[in-house]
Amino acid sequence: MPNYKTQMEAAKKGIVTKEMETVAKKEGVEPEKLRALVACGQVAIPANIHHTALSAEGIGTGLKTKINVNLGISGDCKNYDVEMQKVEMALRFGAEAIMDLSNYGKTNTFRRELIAKSPAMIGTVPMYDAIGYLDKDLLEISAEDFLRVVKAHAEEGVDFMTIHAGINRRALEAFHREGRKMNIVSRGGSLLFAWMEMTGNENPFFEYYDEVLEILREHDVTISLGDALRPGCLNDSSDAGQIGELIEIGNLTRRAWEKDVQVLVEGPGHMAMDEIAANVKLQKRICHNAPFYVLGPLVTDIAPGYDHITAAIGGAIAAASGADFLCYVTPAEHLRLPDLDDVKEGIVASKIAAHAADIAKDIPYARDLDDQMAHARHKMDWEEMFQIAIDGEKAKQYFESTPPADRHTCSMCGKMCAVRTTNWILEGKKVEFYSEKERRLKK
C-alpha cells in the first residue's frame, strides 16, 4: 500500500505517483516539475482512489486548459439513457471532466455506471443530490445529513465535488447589505442560503469544514470551492458579495492544503469582457494560485439560445488571462435541459475557447495541430483537414453539401482559389481559368 492518502500528500513527500506520470506524459512536462506544482497546490490531479477507469488529468499552472461537461436528470427530464449518450459524446470530443448534476430521485445508480465507464474526471455537487438522496425536505435536513451525502459520493468514486463552503454568515452580510438585480443564481448556493435563513444556522459546509476535508482526504477527492455568490448578470459582477465570498474561499483553500486535500476554485458567472482579466488575477492572488474553474463568463445577458458563444468569448479571455478549467455552456442555458445537439455545440465552443487560450498562453505543443491544419490547407488535402478539425464530421458535411466541380477547391472560391493560384505560380505553372475548348467557344 502507498504511504500517502492523496496526490498532494505524495507530492509533498517527493513521490511521483502513476497519476502524475500519466499527466506529465500527456502535457509534455517533466514529472518532477509537475510534482512540485501539485505539492504547492498550483496543479490539481482529481483522482478518487475508487475511480479505476480514470485516465488522470492535471488542472493548473502551465498545463493545457481543460473543459467540463455538465449533464444529469431533472424532474422534468428523467431519461438516463439520453444522459449516457451525452456522456459518450463528451468522451468522443475529448472533454476531460464530466459533472453529474442530477437533482431528482435516487441518482447513485447512474453515477456508479458513469464512474465505472468514464476515463474522464467525474464531478458532483452533493448539495443538489441531498434532497433526493435523503428523501427529506430542505428544512428537515441536518448538518450531519449533508456530510452523509458528501461521504456517499466520495465512496462511489467521485473525483471532485463542488462544495459551497464560502457562503458563510460573514459573506452573506455583504450580499444583504449591497443588494443585487439577480440575487443568488447558484442552485447549490441558493439552497444553502435558504437553509441558513430558515434555520438561523451557519453554513454546515463551513462550520464542519474540517470534517468535510477528512472525508475528502480519505478517498482523495478534490474540493471545488463553489462560488455561491457568483454574478448572474453583468450588473452584479465584481460586487461586494462576490468578492467577500472569494476572500473566504482564499482562507478555505489554505485550510484544505494543510490537510493535503487538492483544491479548485470556482469563478463567475456573468461579466463584461473588460472585467475578466482583473477577476482572474484577483482570484489567483487571493486564492494563492490555486487552479481556477470558470463558468463562462458570459459576456452579455441578451443572447439566450446562443450562450455557448457568449460563454466561449468569456472563457477564452479568462483562460488566456490565467484560468485553468472551463465549464461548458450550451445554447440551452437559461432555457431548458440541453439535448444531444446542445451538448455538442457547447462542447465544441468550449474546446475552441480552451485551445485558443492555450495558444495565447504559449502552452507547449498547443499550436501543433494548427500548424498541421495550415500544411493540409496548403496541400488542399481535404481529408487531412477533416481529420485535424475539432469537429471534422461537421466540416465534411459542409464541404460536401455543395460539392465543387474541382475537388481541389471549395464551392466558395472555385477556380479562383487563392491557395491554388499561389501554389501554381510558385510551381512555375500558368494560371488559366478556361480550358482550350471554353476559350474557343468564347471566340
Side-chain angles (χ1 to χ4, degrees):
M1 293 291 291
N3 63 338
Y4 58 86
K5 283 282 190 182
T6 70
Q7 295 292 318
M8 174 170 264
E9 183 184 1
K12 288 178 180 177
K13 291 181 174 180
I15 300 168
V16 174
T17 66
K18 61 181 176 59
E19 290 82 10
M20 292 178 205
E21 290 174 351
T22 297
V23 172
K25 185 175 181 180
K26 287 182 178 181
E27 300 283 346
V29 301
E30 289 297 320
E32 180 57 30
K33 179 180 179 182
L34 180 66
R35 182 205 61 76
L37 290 168
V38 174
C40 71
Q42 290 191 38
V43 166
I45 302 177
N48 188 309
I49 59 174
H50 308 299
H51 188 179
T52 56
L54 178 70
S55 177
E57 297 283 355
I59 304 168
T61 301
L63 306 184
K64 292 191 289 282
T65 305
K66 308 305 186 298
I67 74 162
N68 170 70
V69 171
N70 289 340
L71 45 81
I73 66 159
S74 70
D76 293 314
C77 297
K78 302 184 277 288
N79 192 328
Y80 280 119
D81 291 337
V82 171
E83 295 311 297
M84 196 54 73
Q85 290 175 42
K86 294 176 185 177
V87 170
E88 290 164 0
M89 179 175 289
L91 296 176
R92 179 160 60 89
F93 277 92
E96 291 87 5
I98 296 170
M99 290 197 79
D100 174 19
L101 305 187
S102 297
N103 62 5
Y104 177 84
K106 301 298 183 183
T107 61
N108 54 348
T109 301
F110 172 73
R111 189 160 49 251
R112 285 172 178 154
E113 183 181 349
L114 175 61
I115 292 165
K117 74 175 292 183
S118 174
M121 299 175 280
I122 302 301
T124 58
V125 186
M127 188 69 205
Y128 292 0
D129 199 27
I131 294 171
Y133 179 86
L134 298 167
D135 200 20
K136 292 182 178 180
D137 214 338
L138 187 60
L139 195 54
E140 299 171 341
I141 300 175
S142 67
E144 292 77 13
D145 286 334
F146 287 124
L147 267 62
R148 278 176 54 205
V149 180
V150 171
K151 184 177 181 181
H153 283 214
E155 290 174 345
E156 288 167 8
V158 171
D159 300 298
F160 65 101
M161 293 185 205
T162 294
I163 294 179
H164 300 89
I167 182 174
N168 58 14
R169 286 286 171 195
R170 190 160 49 235
L172 282 179
E173 287 176 8
F175 166 73
H176 279 297
R177 183 174 61 249
E178 297 296 321
R180 280 180 158 187
K181 283 190 180 295
M182 284 294 296
N183 292 320
I184 297 175
V185 298
S186 160
R187 189 193 309 169
S190 69
L191 292 171
L192 273 173
F193 169 72
W195 187 89
M196 292 165 68
E197 294 290 298
M198 289 191 298
T199 63
N201 295 332
E202 179 59 277
N203 176 352
F205 296 118
F206 177 79
E207 185 174 2
Y208 299 100
Y209 190 59
D210 286 336
E211 287 86 341
V212 171
L213 294 177
E214 285 301 325
I215 295 170
L216 301 183
R217 183 178 184 275
E218 183 67 25
H219 304 276
D220 199 0
V221 179
T222 297
I223 188 169
S224 189
L225 288 164
D227 52 339
L229 296 177
R230 68 173 179 266
C233 65
L234 299 187
N235 187 77
D236 296 341
S237 65
S238 306
D239 69 353
Q242 178 197 331
I243 304 305
E245 182 184 32
L246 184 64
I247 292 169
E248 299 298 332
I249 288 173
N251 180 51
L252 294 171
T253 297
R254 276 192 166 165
R255 286 176 61 187
W257 287 344
E258 288 168 2
K259 299 276 191 178
D260 297 329
V261 174
Q262 299 181 105
V263 176
L264 305 173
V265 174
E266 299 186 15
H270 291 235
M271 184 166 286
M273 289 193 295
D274 62 331
E275 294 181 49
I276 295 173
N279 266 262
V280 174
K281 292 185 188 307
L282 184 64
Q283 181 276 337
K284 289 285 186 175
R285 179 70 179 87
I286 290 176
C287 298
H288 324 293
N289 288 316
F292 196 21
Y293 177 23
V294 296
L295 175 68
L298 279 68
V299 295
T300 179
D301 296 332
I302 62 170
Y306 298 90
D307 276 327
H308 59 311
I309 297 173
T310 64
I313 294 169
I317 296 170
S321 302
D324 309 288
F325 193 18
L326 303 181
C327 186
Y328 93 147
V329 173
T330 77
E333 185 80 6
H334 302 111
L335 302 172
R336 61 169 169 80
L337 196 75
D339 63 18
L340 277 168
D341 288 337
D342 298 326
V343 169
K344 179 181 175 182
E345 292 295 314
I347 292 170
V348 171
S350 190
K351 292 286 284 187
I352 292 168
H355 180 67
D358 287 347
I359 293 169
K361 288 191 286 191
D362 201 24
I363 296 296
Y365 314 111
R367 285 181 53 165
D368 284 5
L369 285 175
D370 297 81
D371 291 341
Q372 291 174 33
M373 180 65 85
H375 183 61
R377 284 178 172 157
H378 172 77
K379 297 186 300 177
M380 303 296 290
D381 187 333
W382 292 103
E383 290 304 320
E384 187 175 343
M385 291 183 225
F386 302 147
Q387 288 293 321
I388 296 167
I390 289 176
D391 185 0
E393 183 180 319
K394 183 175 184 178
K396 189 170 186 176
Q397 288 174 352
Y398 269 62
F399 177 76
E400 293 182 345
S401 65
T402 311
D406 185 339
R407 182 76 179 179
H408 295 289
T409 66
C410 71
S411 58
M412 177 180 286
C413 298
K415 293 179 179 180
M416 294 185 186
C417 174
V419 175
R420 188 176 73 162
T421 296
T422 306
N423 286 346
W424 279 3
I425 290 297
L426 292 175
E427 292 168 8
K429 297 177 181 177
K430 184 189 295 186
V431 175
E432 294 179 324
F433 297 118
Y434 300 100
S435 66
E436 186 63 33
K437 181 179 179 180
E438 287 172 326
R439 280 195 292 271
R440 283 199 304 270
L441 288 173
K442 285 172 67 70
K443 292 178 181 178

